[in-house]
C-alpha cells in the first residue's frame, strides 16, 4: 500500500517557480534553487556575495504571488554566498491563500506554534533582567551541586583509602598522600586544559568556525545585545563564539572557567529560529556560564571517572595473590556500585542545571515565550533535517549531553510544530511528559528534563510577567487532570517489577541459591539458581512486552505521539503506512534501524534479526539502502520513553516483505539461561 505524497507543489510547479526566480534575479548575478518539503518550500538564493535581503525579497514575493502553489503554507528563503558553508540570512514568509501574496507580511515567529494566539506572536516583557520566581519543580542548583560533589568526593576518598590500606605497602599513609596528590594534579591539568582539547576536537569533527560578536549580531541582532548585556552585568569576558556548518539546530557551552567559556551553535539555529528565539538560546547558554554549572559538571564527571578507574584497579589487583584479596573484592564491588550511583547523580545535576539556565534566559530576555518556542522549533528543525539525511547527525549525537535539547526526544516534540494551531493536540503531545508515571522513571536516565516540563516552567515565568503564554499549559494541565488515573497508575508498580524482572530474578535466584547451598560452599549451584531466576524473569518480561499482534489497528504517527497512556513496557500493536527516509543509527553506515515518515510525523523503527548482531549488520549493509525512499506498511509494537519507536514485526513494500524477530532472542536467552542453570546445578 503506497503512502500518499506530502502536500505541496508538484515537480512541474516547482520547476516553473525556479525558472521565474532565476529570470528575475539573473541581472543581480543570483541563482535560485528550491526544495519541496511537507506543506512548505525552501528557496535558496546564491550569489558571488550574499544577496542583500532587502533587495531580493520584494522580487521573490512578487514572483510567488503569481505562482499556483497548492498545499503550501509557508516559504523559507535563504541567502548565501557561493562557496560559503554558512547561510547569511533567512526569512520565513506565511502563504495565506485568502490574501494576495504581495499583501502578506513576514510570518511572525511562533506562528503555527502558539495555540493561544494565532493572530499575533505571544507577548514579551519590554525590560531585560527581570526577577522571576523559580518554577517549583525545577529543583535547587546549589543543593544539587553540593550534594552531588560531596557524595562523589566522599566515595572517591573512601575507596582510595580502602584500596591503599589493603595493598601491601610499608607506608600506606605515604602511598595515600602520593596517590591523592597525583590525582589532584592530573585532574587539575585536565580541568584547565580541557577547553583547548575540546576546541581541537570541535575543529576536527565538526569544522567549527570561530567568529566575532559582530558576526552573531549580524545574524541575530538581539542575540548580540543579550551577550553584551549579560557580560557587562556579570563582569565576564565575551565568550569565544563558534558556528558549525550544520543545518540541525543546536547550541552548547563548554569550558573550565567563566572567562574561558565557549558558546557554539549550528547554522541551523539561525535557519529555524527567529531573532528573539535565537537570543533566548544564547541567554540559556550564558546562564550555564554565569552559574558555573558547566565547570561543576566537568568536576563531577572527573570524580565519576575516578570511581570507575578505582573499580578497574581493584579488579586488576584480584589477579594477584597479595594480602586482603577478599577486602579488595569488596572494594571493587563498592567502587562499581558508587560509579552507578555517581552516574545518576550527574544526570540529576544535569537536569537541574537546564531548568536554571531556562530560568536565567527567561529573566534576562524578559521573553520566556521566546525560549519555549525555540525548544519546539529546534525539535522541529531536527525532524525536518532528518527527512533529507540518510544518516543521522553525528553533531547531535556527539554533543547530546552538552546541547540545549536532547535530540532523542525531537521526533516526539517536533510534532508539536506541525499541529501547533490545534491547542488540544499540542496538549496531548505534552500530556505524556507531565502525567504518565513512566515519564519520571525514564527521565532518570536523561541529561535533559522532558520538554513538556521545561515548557511548563517557562509558562509559569510568562504568567509572572503578565504575558500570554506561547503554550496554554493551564489548559494542558486541566486536560491531564481528567485522564483516567486508574489506567495511568494502577499496576505501575507491578510494571516496574516486570520491567526489571530479569535482574530481580537474578538477585532473587542468587539469594535463594545462597540459602540452599551457601553453607555447603556449592558456588556453582548458587550460580545455577541465579541463572534460572534471570531466565524466568526475562521470560515474564517478554510475555508482557509482546502481546499478540492479531490484526493491528491502522494508526498515524501523530496519534501515537499524543497517546498519554503509552508505555515502554507494554507494546501497543499497530500498523503504520509511510515512507522510509533513512537510517536510525547515528554515524553508523551499516545501521539496521530505520526512520519512517507519514503525513503527520516521523518515527524510529527497530529491526531485529534472528541471527543477532551479525544478522543486524548484514541487513544494514546489504538491504537497508535499497529500502530507503520506498513506501512501506510496517507492523509492530509501539513504545514510548524519552523517545518513541516502533519495534518491528515486519515491513511490507510493493514487491517484498521484510520480517523482524524482536522476541526471538529474548526467548532464546531466557530458555538458554534456564537450561544452563539446570546444567550448572547438576555439575555443581
Amino acid at each position: 500500500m503506497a503512502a500518499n505524497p506530502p502536500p505541496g507543489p508538484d515537480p512541474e510547479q516547482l520547476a516553473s517557480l525556479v525558472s521565474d526566480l532565476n529570470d528575475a534575479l539573473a541581472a543581480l548575478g543570483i541563482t535560485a534553487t528550491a526544495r519541496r518539503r511537507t506543506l512548505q518550500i525552501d528557496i535558496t538564493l546564491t550569489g558571488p556575495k550574499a544577496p542583500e535581503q532587502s533587495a531580493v525579497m520584494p522580487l521573490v514575493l512578487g514572483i510567488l504571488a503569481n505562482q499556483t502553489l497548492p498545499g503550501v503554507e509557508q516559504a523559507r528563503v535563504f541567502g548565501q554566498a557561493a562557496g560559503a558553508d554558512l547561510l547569511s540570512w533567512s526569512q520565513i514568509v506565511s502563504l495565506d491563500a485568502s490574501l494576495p501574496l504581495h499583501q502578506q507580511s513576514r510570518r511572525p515567529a511562533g506562528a503555527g506554534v502558539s495555540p493561544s494566539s494565532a493572530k499575533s506572536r505571544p507577548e514579551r516583557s519590554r525590560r531585560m533582567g527581570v526577577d522571576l520566581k523559580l518554577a517549583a519543580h525545577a529543583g535547587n542548583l546549589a543543593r544539587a551541586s553540593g550534594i552531588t560533589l560531596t557524595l562523589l568526593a566522599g566515595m572517591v576518598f573512601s575507596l582510595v583509602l580502602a584500596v591503599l590500606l589493603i595493598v601491601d605497602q610499608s607506608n600506606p599513609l605515604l602511598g595515600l598522600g602520593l596517590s591523592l596528590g597525583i590525582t589532584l594534579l592530573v585532574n587539575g591539568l585536565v580541568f584547565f586544559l580541557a577547553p583547548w582539547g575540546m576546541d581541537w576536537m570541535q575543529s576536527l569533527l565538526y569544522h567549527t568556525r570561530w567568529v566575532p560578536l559582530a558576526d552573531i549580531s549580524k545574524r541575530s541582532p538581539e542575540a548580540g545585545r543579550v551577550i553584551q548585556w549579560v557580560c557587562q552585568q556579570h563582569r565576564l569576558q565575551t565568550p569565544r563564539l563558534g558556528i558549525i556548518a550544520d543545518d540541525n539546530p543546536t547550541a552548547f557551552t563548554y569550558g573550565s572557567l567563566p572567562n574561558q567559556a565557549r558558546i557554539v551553535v549550528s547554522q541551523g539555529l539561525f535557519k529555524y529560529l527567529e531573532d528573539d528565539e535565537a537570543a533566548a538560546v544564547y541567554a540559556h547558554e550564558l546562564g550555564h556560564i554565569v552559574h558555573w554549572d558547566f565547570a561543576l559538571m566537568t568536576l563531577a564527571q572527573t570524580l565519576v571517572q575516578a570511581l570507575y578507574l578505582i573499580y578497574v584497579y581493584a579488579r586488576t589487583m584480584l589477579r594477584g595473590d597479595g594480602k586482603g584479596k577478599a577486602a579488595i573484592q569488596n572494594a571493587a564491588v563498592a567502587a562499581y556500585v558508587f560509579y552507578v550511583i555517581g552516574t545518576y547523580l550527574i544526570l540529576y545535576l544535569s537536569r537541574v542545571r537546564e531548568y536554571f539556565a531556562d530560568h536565567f534566559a527567561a529573566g534576562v530576555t524578559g521573553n520566556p515565550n521566546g525560549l519555549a518556542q525555540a525548544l519546539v522549533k529546534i525539535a522541529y528543525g531536527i525532524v525536518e533535517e532528518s527527512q533529507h539525511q540518510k544518516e543521522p547527525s553525528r553533531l547531535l549525537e556527539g554533543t547530546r549531553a552538552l546541547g540545549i535539547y536532547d535530540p532523542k526526544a525531537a521526533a516526539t516534540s517536533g510534532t508539536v510544530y506541525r499541529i501547533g494551531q490545534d491547542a488540544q493536540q499540542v496538549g496531548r503531545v505534552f500530556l505524556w511528559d507531565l502525567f504518565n508515571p513512566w515519564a519520571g522513571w525514564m527521565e532518570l536516565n536523561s541529561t535533559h528534563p522532558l520538554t513538556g516540563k521545561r515548557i511548563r516552567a517557562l509558562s509559569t515565568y510568562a504568567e509572572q510577567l503578565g504575558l500570554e503564554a506561547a503554550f496554554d499549559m493551564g489548559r494542558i494541565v486541566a486536560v491531564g487532570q481528567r485522564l483516567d488515573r486508574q489506567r495511568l497508575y494502577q499496576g505501575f508498580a507491578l510494571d516496574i517489577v516486570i520491567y526489571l524482572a530479569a535482574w530481580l530474578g537474578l538477585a532473587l535466584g542468587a539469594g535463594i541459591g545462597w540459602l540452599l547451598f551457601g553453607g555447603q560452599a556449592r558456588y556453582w549451584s548458587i550460580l545455577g539458581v541465579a541463572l534460572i531466576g534471570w531466565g524466568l524473569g526475562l521470560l515474564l518480561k517478554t510475555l508482557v512486552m509482546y502481546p499478540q499482534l492479531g490484526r493491528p489497528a491502522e494508526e498515524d504517527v501523530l496519534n501515537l505521539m499524543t497517546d498519554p497512556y503509552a508505555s515502554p513496557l507494554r507494546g501497543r500493536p499497530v500498523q503504520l503506512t509511510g515512507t522510509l527516509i533513512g537510517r536510525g543509527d547515528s554515524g553508523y553506515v551499516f545501521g539496521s534501524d530505520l526512520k519512517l515518515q507519514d503525513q503527520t510525523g516521523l518515527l524510529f523503527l527497530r529491526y531485529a534479526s534472528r541471527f543477532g548482531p551479525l544478522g543486524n549488520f548484514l541487513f544494514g549493509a546489504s538491504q537497508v539502502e535499497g529500502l530507503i525512499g520506498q513506501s512501506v506498511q510496517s507492523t509492530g509494537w509501539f513504545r514510548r520513553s524519552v523517545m518513541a519507536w516502533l519495534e518491528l514485526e515486519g515491513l511490507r513494500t510493493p514487491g517484498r516483505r521484510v520480517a523482524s524477530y524482536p522476541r526471538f532472542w529474548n526467548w532464546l536467552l531466557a530458555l538458554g539461561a534456564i537450561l544452563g542453570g539446570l546444567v550448572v546445578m547438576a555439575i555443581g
Side-chain angles (χ1 to χ4, degrees):
M1 180 177 177
N4 294 325
D10 63 31
E12 291 185 3
Q13 293 167 333
L14 204 60
S16 174
L17 170 64
V18 172
S19 177
D20 289 351
L21 286 170
N22 281 315
D23 289 344
L25 298 171
L28 300 176
I30 296 170
T31 58
T33 58
R35 181 166 59 190
R36 175 184 176 181
R37 305 274 195 120
T38 302
L39 303 178
Q40 66 188 26
I41 52 174
D42 287 354
I43 300 171
T44 302
L45 308 179
T46 307
K49 296 190 298 183
E52 289 291 334
Q53 186 174 1
S54 59
V56 299
M57 282 307 299
L59 293 173
V60 173
L61 290 173
I63 291 167
L64 286 172
N66 295 320
Q67 294 286 325
T68 301
L69 301 170
V72 179
E73 294 182 356
Q74 69 177 26
R76 297 187 302 178
V77 185
F78 309 108
Q80 185 175 21
D85 292 329
L86 301 177
L87 296 171
S88 295
W89 55 267
S90 66
Q91 181 167 326
I92 301 176
V93 180
S94 177
L95 306 183
D96 187 343
S98 65
L99 294 176
L101 194 58
H102 67 273
Q103 295 181 11
Q104 298 173 27
S105 61
R106 181 181 179 187
R107 176 179 180 168
V113 185
S114 172
S116 57
S117 177
K119 61 182 181 295
S120 65
R121 68 177 302 122
E123 297 178 48
R124 59 173 296 175
S125 172
R126 296 184 179 182
R127 294 188 299 115
M128 295 177 67
V130 295
D131 292 327
L132 296 170
K133 183 180 178 182
L134 191 70
H137 62 278
N140 185 298
L141 183 60
R143 184 186 306 136
S145 302
I147 291 174
T148 299
L149 294 178
T150 300
L151 287 175
L152 288 175
M155 292 175 188
V156 172
F157 181 82
S158 61
L159 284 170
V160 169
L161 181 63
V163 171
L164 287 174
L165 291 179
I166 291 166
V167 176
D168 188 9
Q169 292 190 45
S170 58
N171 192 338
L173 290 177
L174 177 61
L176 174 63
L178 288 173
S179 297
L180 287 177
I182 294 172
T183 300
L184 291 173
L185 177 62
V186 171
N187 286 347
L189 288 173
V190 169
F191 180 78
F192 288 106
L193 296 178
W196 287 273
M198 281 286 289
D199 289 348
W200 177 77
M201 286 189 288
Q202 292 290 323
S203 176
L204 180 68
L205 296 174
Y206 312 124
H207 308 292
T208 303
R209 176 171 163 246
W210 301 103
V211 299
L213 178 60
D215 193 299
I216 302 300
S217 297
K218 181 180 178 182
R219 299 166 188 276
S220 172
E222 186 171 343
R225 291 194 296 271
V226 165
I227 294 171
Q228 288 180 311
W229 189 88
V230 171
C231 291
Q232 290 171 359
Q233 290 292 313
H234 295 274
R235 298 179 180 179
L236 297 173
Q237 295 179 14
T238 301
R240 196 177 186 197
L241 303 170
I243 297 179
I244 297 173
D246 191 306
D247 282 344
N248 289 280
T250 190
F252 55 92
T253 299
Y254 64 91
S256 53
L257 297 173
N259 284 329
Q260 295 177 336
R262 281 81 160 146
I263 298 179
V264 180
V265 304
S266 66
Q267 173 181 284
L269 197 77
F270 302 107
K271 178 177 177 179
Y272 286 97
L273 270 55
E274 299 289 348
D275 184 21
D276 66 320
E277 296 159 356
V281 169
Y282 270 99
H284 171 97
E285 298 303 326
L286 288 164
H288 289 309
I289 297 172
V290 170
H291 296 148
W292 281 62
D293 61 52
F294 66 106
L296 292 173
M297 286 293 293
T298 301
L299 180 57
Q301 287 171 338
T302 301
L303 291 172
V304 169
Q305 290 169 357
L307 289 169
Y308 188 74
L309 288 173
I310 293 170
Y311 159 70
V312 172
Y313 176 55
R315 191 180 61 181
T316 303
M317 292 169 58
L318 289 173
R319 299 171 185 170
D321 296 322
K323 68 177 184 179
K325 191 170 183 178
I328 293 175
Q329 185 176 22
N330 293 335
V333 172
Y336 189 78
V337 171
F338 287 169
Y339 165 71
V340 173
I341 294 172
T343 300
Y344 281 96
L345 286 172
I346 284 184
L347 291 172
Y348 166 66
L349 177 59
S350 179
R351 292 192 298 273
V352 172
R353 79 187 190 110
E354 293 298 330
Y355 279 126
F356 270 71
D358 287 351
H359 175 262
F360 180 86
V364 162
T365 62
N367 185 19
N369 288 325
L371 185 57
Q373 291 171 164
L375 292 174
V376 172
K377 286 188 178 181
I378 287 171
Y380 170 73
I382 292 170
V383 171
E384 281 291 292
E385 292 304 317
S386 71
Q387 293 179 15
H388 52 85
Q389 294 176 343
K390 290 186 177 180
E391 307 298 332
S393 170
R394 295 184 181 183
L395 169 65
L396 295 177
E397 285 297 316
T399 60
R400 182 184 175 193
L402 294 173
I404 187 173
Y405 194 90
D406 186 351
K408 292 293 185 184
T412 304
S413 301
T415 305
V416 176
Y417 192 89
R418 295 179 178 275
I419 45 88
Q421 294 293 342
D422 187 336
Q424 184 177 1
Q425 291 283 43
V426 171
R428 291 188 70 84
V429 169
F430 291 141
L431 282 174
W432 192 91
D433 292 358
L434 298 177
F435 292 98
N436 193 299
W438 280 107
W441 178 268
M442 291 300 170
E443 194 181 38
L444 293 175
N445 294 294
S446 177
T447 56
H448 294 68
L450 295 172
T451 305
K453 293 183 179 180
R454 294 178 74 177
I455 290 180
R456 183 180 184 182
L458 290 165
S459 296
T460 66
Y461 306 145
E463 292 169 3
Q464 291 178 42
L465 293 170
L467 307 178
E468 183 179 15
F471 296 91
D472 190 352
M473 298 303 288
R475 180 182 299 180
I476 294 170
V477 171
V479 172
Q481 291 172 346
R482 295 196 296 270
L483 293 175
D484 186 343
R485 296 288 172 148
Q486 184 174 359
R487 185 177 173 187
L488 278 173
Y489 293 100
Q490 187 177 35
F492 175 66
L494 177 60
D495 278 1
I496 291 292
V497 172
I498 296 173
Y499 191 78
L500 301 173
W503 303 109
L504 292 175
L506 179 70
L508 182 62
I512 293 173
W514 181 262
L515 291 175
L516 294 176
F517 306 110
Q520 307 169 41
R522 293 174 58 185
Y523 300 116
W524 283 104
S525 297
I526 297 173
L527 176 61
V529 179
L531 284 173
I532 292 172
W534 187 84
L536 290 173
L538 182 58
L539 200 63
L540 172 63
K541 182 179 179 180
T542 303
L543 288 170
V544 175
M545 286 184 69
Y546 300 99
Q548 290 299 315
L549 280 174
R551 295 175 61 88
E554 179 76 33
E555 293 285 359
D556 59 46
V557 171
L558 177 58
N559 192 45
L560 295 175
M561 295 291 192
T562 55
D563 180 5
Y565 304 104
S567 163
L569 174 69
R570 297 183 182 272
R572 175 179 169 183
V574 297
Q575 178 175 289
L576 282 173
T577 300
T579 302
L580 296 178
I581 62 171
R583 300 178 192 266
D585 307 80
S586 179
Y588 185 29
V589 295
F590 300 125
S592 59
D593 292 345
L594 297 159
K595 290 182 293 188
L596 178 140
Q597 180 190 7
D598 67 7
Q599 291 186 344
T600 66
L602 177 146
L603 188 66
F604 289 94
L605 310 181
R606 288 186 179 174
Y607 170 84
S609 168
R610 279 180 296 185
F611 303 104
L614 177 60
N616 291 345
F617 170 80
L618 293 174
F619 174 75
S622 63
Q623 299 188 51
V624 166
E625 190 68 27
L627 291 171
I628 293 175
Q630 291 200 39
S631 297
V632 299
Q633 188 179 72
S634 58
T635 55
W637 296 269
F638 173 74
R639 306 189 193 282
R640 174 82 185 266
S641 179
V642 173
M643 64 177 291
W645 72 97
L646 182 73
E647 201 147 9
L648 277 176
E649 184 270 341
L651 281 174
R652 188 176 297 278
T653 70
R656 60 182 293 201
R657 185 180 188 278
V658 176
S660 176
Y661 304 92
R663 293 174 288 191
F664 178 80
W665 277 94
N666 278 13
W667 287 113
L668 187 64
L669 289 173
L671 295 175
I674 294 170
L675 292 174
L678 292 172
V679 171
V680 169
M681 286 181 65
I683 295 174

